[in-house]
Amino acid sequence: MKQPLLSIQNICSGYGSIQVLHDISLEIHTGEIVTLIGANGAGKSTLLMSIFGEPKITQGNIFYEGVCLNQLEPHKIAQQGIAQVPEGRRIFPAMTVEENILIGTTPIGPEHADKDKEDVFSLFPRLKERRNQRAGTLSGGEQQMLAMARALMARPRTILLDEPSLGLAPLVVKQIFEILKDITSLGKTIFLVEQNAFHALSLAHRAYVMVNGRITLSGSGAELLDNPEVRNAYLGGKTQRPLNP
């Protein structure tokens, strides 16, 4: 069996004396979309941040392409080929769209910036139209696209996304998830943390459920969509029609 691209092995993490993650293990293989669902406060964002080195894990190991990330600083982790799109997008509102995008080259330098910028503009034509506009004047959906475009500028092989649908209208949410499929078609691997369980599980190859800092279920996206426990907890007890497969 092929070795996973990202392997998280029995990790614990938290903030000071507060332990948030308890003995977490999961793996992600090249080209997959893997999602992690769970209620607000379950520890999902802490897991993504722990992969990126802040907070540091207190137990276990994180390997990426066989390299142990445990003691690496976040900028060194980014240089391994991992990019993060944080919850709340965290764009620079006073800077232009193009300036925000170019900041994404920080981990790797500007050598490929011109070519890569045009590539992300092809993926996000709306951002090209607004390239000279201040980022803070964009809509919520456009700001999410900008955060994703900025991440792509680091030429990552793996993208960690934290709640990309947060605060967006349903039609915009559907558009964002369609873009995620386009990104994987470019050869990227995605680890998606998301409260919108229906969209996330419809999109994912595999999925995990987190409750109170522990992984309680795992399986394919389709299996968890059909799981009565998941339906009752995250889908209002309903069987819904997936997005276009």
Side-chain angles (χ1 to χ4, degrees):
M1 184 176 180
K2 291 178 64 175
Q3 291 295 313
L5 179 66
L6 176 66
S7 177
I8 296 172
Q9 302 173 358
N10 306 106
I11 70 165
C12 296
S13 183
Y15 307 96
S17 61
I18 301 173
Q19 184 174 342
V20 178
L21 303 180
H22 304 267
D23 198 31
I24 298 293
S25 294
L26 59 83
E27 59 185 37
I28 299 171
H29 293 263
T30 300
E32 284 190 312
I33 300 176
V34 175
T35 193
L36 176 67
I37 65 170
N40 189 32
K44 305 185 303 298
S45 294
T46 298
L47 177 56
L48 283 196
M49 291 188 291
S50 296
I51 294 170
F52 234 83
E54 291 290 345
K56 295 289 186 186
I57 63 173
T58 57
Q59 175 185 304
N61 294 291
I62 302 174
F63 290 96
Y64 185 74
E65 292 192 316
V67 175
C68 184
L69 305 184
N70 293 20
Q71 301 303 318
L72 296 185
E73 295 303 314
H75 71 281
K76 292 292 187 182
I77 294 172
Q79 290 170 356
Q80 298 297 315
I82 306 175
Q84 187 171 20
V85 181
E87 181 181 353
R89 300 174 282 269
R90 299 185 193 175
I91 60 166
F92 296 93
M95 298 173 66
T96 67
V97 167
E98 186 164 349
E99 289 168 340
N100 270 270
I101 286 172
L102 290 174
I103 285 174
T105 65
T106 300
I108 63 169
E111 180 182 357
H112 305 286
D114 290 340
K115 176 188 181 302
D116 292 351
K117 180 179 62 179
E118 294 309 313
D119 288 344
V120 299
F121 280 150
S122 295
L123 188 61
F124 301 99
R126 193 173 303 176
L127 296 182
K128 185 173 185 178
E129 295 170 7
R130 291 158 171 73
R131 64 194 303 167
N132 297 316
Q133 188 171 324
R134 287 181 184 268
T137 65
L138 299 178
S139 69
E142 290 165 346
Q143 290 184 15
Q144 185 62 54
M145 293 177 194
L146 179 56
M148 293 158 64
R150 180 180 61 191
L152 287 169
M153 290 295 289
R155 293 195 160 193
R157 293 181 297 283
T158 300
I159 303 175
L160 314 179
L161 288 114
D162 195 354
E163 304 286 3
S165 75
L166 188 66
L168 302 182
L171 286 177
V172 180
V173 171
K174 185 174 181 180
Q175 184 179 10
I176 292 294
F177 277 82
E178 290 294 335
I179 291 171
L180 293 182
K181 287 198 293 187
D182 292 339
I183 290 174
T184 57
S185 73
L186 300 174
K188 308 298 183 184
T189 300
I190 290 178
F191 185 29
L192 171 67
V193 160
E194 182 58 62
Q195 284 193 62
N196 189 322
F198 170 61
H199 283 311
L201 295 175
S202 298
L203 183 70
H205 298 100
R206 293 188 303 106
Y208 295 86
V209 177
M210 179 177 281
V211 177
N212 295 329
R214 301 178 188 274
I215 299 296
T216 59
L217 287 170
S218 65
S220 71
E223 287 170 346
L224 293 190
L225 269 177
D226 287 337
N227 184 295
E229 186 177 344
V230 172
R231 288 206 306 269
N232 289 331
Y234 305 106
L235 300 173
K238 299 176 181 178
T239 301
Q240 302 186 49
R241 176 178 293 180
L243 297 173
N244 295 330

